[in-house]
Amino acid sequence: MSDLMFEVKGQRLPKPPGVTARGLADVKDDTLAAWVNGQAVDLDRPLLEGGQVQFLTFEDSQGRQVFRHSSAHLLAQAVKRLWPDAKLGTGPALEDGFYYDIWLADPLTESDLKRIEEMMQAIVQENHAIKRVEVSRDEALQLFQERHESFKQEIIEGIPEGSAISLYQQGEFVDLCSGPHLPRTGLIGALKLTQVSGAYWRGSETNPMMTRIYGTSFPDQARLERHLAQIEEAKLRDHRKLGAQLDLFTFHEESSGFAFWHPKGHVIYRILEDFSRRLQAARGYQEVSTPWIYRVGLWKKSGHWDHYRDDLFLIEREDELMGVKPMNCPGHCLLFKETTRSYRDLPWRLAEYSPLSRYERSGALHGLMRVRGFHQDDAHLFVRPDEIRQEMFGVLDLVDIVYRTFAMPYEVVLSTRPDDYMGELSLWDRAETELESVLRARSLKYQINPKDGAFYGPKLDVYAVDSLGRRWQCATVQLDFQMPEKFELEYIDQDGTAKRPVMIHRAILGSIERFLGILVEHYAGSFPIWLAPVQVKVLPITEKQHAYAYEIAKALSQSQIRVEVDDRNQKIQFKIREAQVAKVPEMLVVGGLEQENRSVSLRTREGGNVGVLPWAQYKEDLLMRAMPASD
């Protein structure tokens, strides 16, 4: 059998087929798994084909996923030791932890969670090797029948006959799983079970109710403790709590999944929207508005009916079925098709901020982070194939400007062809190659998320990192060769022949609602002065200074500064405290001396008492600091 070539740490190495990732190089103790040709694999799994090999640690998102998935198996093993009659469901890794759905005869208590944790720690100390075994479908069925694992049997019965099935074993515990996993249980240095809830098996109300046990895990105790402290801080920053406290937005059962924007919240919303508009207008985007309800024929033509039907809000009237739009791309295709386009017309960049609706299950709704009604800074670029790279560069420039403005580092993930993809495989390969080429040309580090692209094209997902280190998927950029085919879009090229354009779908903020919710938590409600709904509060000490306070407020308001006067008959310390609770960036205390000298006593939200400044000087300085952000 001929040798295969592997690329490891920049070196090309010939190795025989069947060599493991561990056998390719000396791996460190913190190495968890390997990344081979875009897929995570066990360190000790034989490699049947050559390619690029990278080693994963806990610092890599794929490495953390392997770590947390192995932690879920550890949880299941501990539960089975304590309750042998428990029946296992499934246990995936999450962004910051894991869970396992398990059928138990009786509900768990807090003391039960403690017992499970202690048993998990004991299994860590036992340091079992985690081994992968491949079996036939019949062998897997027999094994789990003998173990009375009915939910596992149900999963296996849904796998086609003749398929190879992988199992993972650690000590006495065996689970059905495609992997990959850690080499041994002893690598899980610190863990914590965080909560218990109920969940229907496979999400169906007709199925049994499972006990869902959540947890998190880290290589060491110090990182676990930092994470738990971060969770407590995140509770204080919960945007739903701060949104109501700061009078920004609320939610009501009468329209679940849709936000009620209060005046102050709507101010921030409009500032974000205007910020986006200014950036786009300067770069040749043209804003349009398209209908928000279409006959379902459009959704069938675009492919959304086959791939997105369950997420559509449907309306039936006069024997006609219509769908509320979840995205703008089909409408923009109709606009493109209205007239004959020349190659000189491209790129054609359309932006839209109109309302969108997607049906989210009630249990999935979560404040502004998961809604049914939202708006995006949405845009579609119709480009010639030779313009893809340059236009993608422009989109990535926008991403960089926006996230630097909000002091949020970001990470890029390339999501590739899903199983339910639409269109020709060759076009998908071309689109994925184009995106990788752009990322490399920009020297952007990126990770690959296999099979998570949109049904019509691969995409770049941008994950913003907030002040607590949490990753939020915000911007998305999708390269689409399929929808122009579906809508038979054409432009006349330089040689007079009709050619097919390519579409770039992109949203930089993503959902404006969700992005605003992220910002509330990122800033803990203390928005930078350009974004704060009230930028300045004027605080007269006595009634004698009311006229001077309103004179200041009027002058600031005429200069587009958002200002309020607190003229209540309260002590000045009370007014200062109230303004600080409302997280107003700057407070101007005016008493008799300030009125006489045409000055203000400045206090800031963060720095406290700054001192007395001439009113005219303060105003001039404020106008420089409080204007909307720009590039």
Side-chain angles (χ1 to χ4, degrees):
M1 191 177 291
S2 61
D3 286 353
L4 300 181
M5 295 301 296
F6 295 92
E7 184 178 333
V8 183
K9 299 178 181 179
Q11 295 185 336
R12 289 176 61 79
L13 305 171
K15 293 287 180 179
V19 69
T20 65
R22 190 191 296 278
L24 290 172
D26 292 330
V27 297
K28 297 179 180 179
D29 290 340
D30 64 349
T31 303
L32 308 179
W35 187 255
V36 182
N37 298 330
Q39 184 176 0
V41 300
D42 304 301
L43 284 177
D44 296 312
R45 183 175 177 182
L47 302 179
L48 302 180
E49 58 182 31
Q52 191 175 52
V53 179
Q54 295 172 285
F55 293 101
L56 300 176
T57 70
F58 194 79
E59 304 310 314
D60 303 298
S61 63
Q62 298 96 336
R64 289 193 294 274
Q65 187 173 38
V66 172
F67 192 94
R68 266 65 183 265
H69 190 45
S70 296
S71 303
H73 278 218
L74 182 70
L75 165 61
Q77 183 177 8
V79 170
K80 288 293 287 186
R81 282 191 181 183
L82 293 168
W83 292 276
D85 292 334
K87 298 185 187 302
L88 302 179
T90 56
L94 303 173
E95 177 73 22
D96 289 315
F98 57 89
Y99 72 78
Y100 212 113
D101 285 344
I102 302 173
W103 182 88
L104 291 162
D106 299 307
L108 292 179
T109 65
E110 286 296 322
S111 62
D112 289 330
L113 282 186
K114 185 65 177 173
R115 290 174 62 205
I116 298 170
E117 264 188 34
E118 291 171 351
M119 183 60 74
M120 291 173 72
Q121 289 162 351
I123 298 169
V124 168
Q125 293 302 314
E126 292 166 11
N127 198 19
H128 294 288
I130 303 176
K131 300 176 182 178
R132 177 188 175 95
V133 181
E134 291 195 359
V135 298
S136 69
R137 182 176 180 274
D138 289 342
E139 288 172 328
L141 270 176
Q142 181 180 349
L143 173 69
F144 287 105
Q145 283 170 354
E146 291 171 354
R147 290 175 172 247
H148 307 291
E149 295 285 3
S150 55
F151 299 109
K152 298 294 183 183
Q153 293 174 53
E154 182 181 327
I155 294 172
I156 296 167
E157 286 166 354
I159 298 173
E161 291 188 20
S163 300
I165 292 174
S166 58
L167 309 177
Y168 279 83
Q169 180 173 8
Q170 52 198 54
E172 82 288 355
F173 179 77
V174 179
D175 204 351
L176 174 72
C177 188
S178 59
H181 281 282
L182 301 176
R184 59 187 191 278
T185 62
L187 290 172
I188 303 173
L191 57 93
K192 176 71 176 177
L193 298 184
T194 54
Q195 70 179 86
V196 176
S197 67
Y200 290 108
W201 171 239
R202 292 189 158 180
S204 173
E205 296 177 3
T206 61
N207 287 336
M209 175 66 75
M210 313 289 280
T211 297
R212 177 169 291 180
I213 307 172
Y214 288 91
T216 190
S217 57
F218 290 84
D220 56 73
Q221 189 66 26
R223 276 189 270 196
L224 172 62
E225 289 176 1
R226 285 198 298 271
H227 175 73
L228 296 176
Q230 183 187 92
I231 290 174
E232 292 306 309
E233 175 64 21
K235 290 177 183 177
L236 299 176
R237 294 171 178 245
D238 189 318
H239 74 284
R240 295 166 298 178
K241 174 184 172 183
L242 286 174
Q245 177 185 315
L246 299 176
D247 196 23
L248 304 179
F249 53 82
T250 49
F251 292 87
H252 295 274
E253 290 182 0
E254 288 80 358
S255 186
S256 56
F258 293 80
F260 286 72
W261 291 100
H262 297 201
K264 290 178 181 176
H266 205 246
V267 165
I268 305 173
Y269 189 100
R270 287 302 181 204
I271 293 171
L272 289 176
E273 202 173 58
D274 290 343
F275 172 56
S276 168
R277 279 192 166 97
R278 291 197 313 276
L279 290 175
Q280 293 185 157
R283 290 161 177 78
Y285 286 79
Q286 301 176 74
E287 188 173 337
V288 297
S289 181
T290 56
W292 55 92
I293 299 175
Y294 293 92
R295 293 186 172 96
V296 295
L298 179 79
W299 305 119
K300 291 178 179 178
K301 187 171 189 177
S302 68
H304 289 92
W305 189 251
D306 290 332
H307 298 268
Y308 213 81
R309 185 187 321 179
D310 291 343
D311 297 302
L312 289 171
F313 277 102
L314 298 176
I315 302 169
E316 189 168 3
R317 287 290 184 273
E318 298 179 350
D319 297 325
E320 186 170 37
L321 192 59
M322 295 174 286
V324 181
K325 69 175 176 181
M327 61 274 296
N328 294 306
C329 35
H332 291 184
C333 287
L334 294 181
L335 286 177
F336 185 94
K337 202 173 172 67
E338 284 180 353
T339 187
T340 302
R341 307 279 173 187
S342 162
Y343 70 96
R344 294 188 183 92
D345 299 324
L346 305 184
W348 198 43
R349 309 180 187 99
L350 296 186
E352 183 162 2
Y353 297 85
S354 62
L356 303 172
S357 294
R358 298 178 186 175
Y359 180 69
E360 298 283 358
R361 304 294 178 193
S362 57
L365 299 175
H366 181 76
L368 294 177
M369 306 304 193
R370 199 74 176 264
V371 291
R372 288 172 173 166
F374 61 100
H375 304 70
Q376 290 183 321
D377 60 332
D378 197 17
H380 295 92
L381 290 68
F382 297 86
V383 305
R384 302 191 309 262
D386 63 290
E387 295 172 323
I388 290 174
R389 173 170 291 209
Q390 195 58 41
E391 289 303 304
M392 288 293 299
F393 284 172
V395 170
L396 292 175
D397 284 341
L398 271 175
V399 168
D400 193 61
I401 290 167
V402 167
Y403 290 96
R404 277 193 292 107
T405 297
F406 297 104
M408 299 177 84
Y410 61 88
E411 302 168 2
V412 179
V413 173
L414 169 59
S415 297
T416 59
R417 184 180 69 250
D419 291 332
D420 64 340
Y421 70 92
M422 177 178 78
E424 295 295 327
L425 185 60
S426 60
L427 291 178
W428 273 89
D429 291 341
R430 181 180 175 187
E432 290 176 4
T433 300
E434 288 274 13
L435 286 183
E436 283 208 82
S437 173
V438 165
L439 291 171
R440 287 174 180 152
R442 291 292 294 251
S443 299
L444 273 174
K445 291 183 179 180
Y446 64 96
Q447 296 172 350
I448 295 178
N449 188 9
K451 299 186 177 183
D452 198 45
F455 66 85
Y456 47 79
K459 60 179 179 173
L460 303 180
D461 286 325
V462 176
Y463 286 81
V465 182
D466 71 8
S467 56
L468 294 181
R470 297 173 299 177
R471 298 165 72 252
W472 301 93
Q473 196 276 310
C474 295
T476 185
V477 187
Q478 301 159 0
L479 186 57
D480 180 7
F481 288 83
Q482 310 299 335
M483 208 161 288
E485 291 281 345
K486 286 278 187 179
F487 282 87
E488 300 178 335
L489 304 184
E490 294 180 343
Y491 66 93
I492 304 304
D493 205 359
Q494 194 168 5
D495 61 5
T497 62
K499 299 286 179 61
R500 193 78 75 207
V502 180
M503 282 181 75
I504 298 173
H505 309 240
R506 47 113 295 201
I508 308 301
L509 300 176
S511 157
I512 299 176
E513 282 78 359
R514 185 169 184 271
F515 191 75
L516 201 157
I518 292 168
L519 289 184
V520 171
E521 299 195 4
H522 176 54
Y523 293 119
S526 296
F527 295 101
I529 193 166
W530 70 273
L531 195 56
V534 177
Q535 297 170 303
V536 177
K537 204 151 199 176
V538 187
L539 311 176
I541 293 178
T542 71
E543 188 176 347
K544 293 179 181 179
Q545 289 85 49
H546 282 187
Y548 181 48
Y550 278 103
E551 178 189 340
I552 290 172
K554 181 178 179 181
L556 293 178
S557 183
Q558 288 174 341
S559 298
Q560 307 302 309
I561 299 297
R562 298 180 293 280
V563 57
E564 290 181 352
V565 176
D566 187 348
D567 61 3
R568 293 176 294 172
N569 184 23
Q570 296 283 354
K571 291 182 178 181
I572 192 64
Q573 290 304 321
F574 175 85
K575 294 181 181 181
I576 291 171
R577 218 166 30 247
E578 289 280 288
Q580 288 174 328
V581 168
K583 302 184 184 290
V584 178
E586 298 191 358
M587 293 148 269
L588 303 180
V589 177
V590 291
L593 192 61
E594 286 82 10
Q595 184 174 14
E596 181 180 344
N597 296 330
R598 303 287 297 171
S599 63
V600 294
S601 180
L602 173 62
R603 296 184 66 92
T604 65
R605 181 178 56 202
E606 289 84 13
N609 187 20
V610 175
V612 177
L613 301 171
W615 154 236
Q617 177 188 326
Y618 169 76
K619 178 185 173 185
E620 183 179 352
D621 177 63
L622 175 68
L623 295 181
M624 296 294 293
R625 293 182 288 104
M627 289 298 101
S630 68
D631 62 326

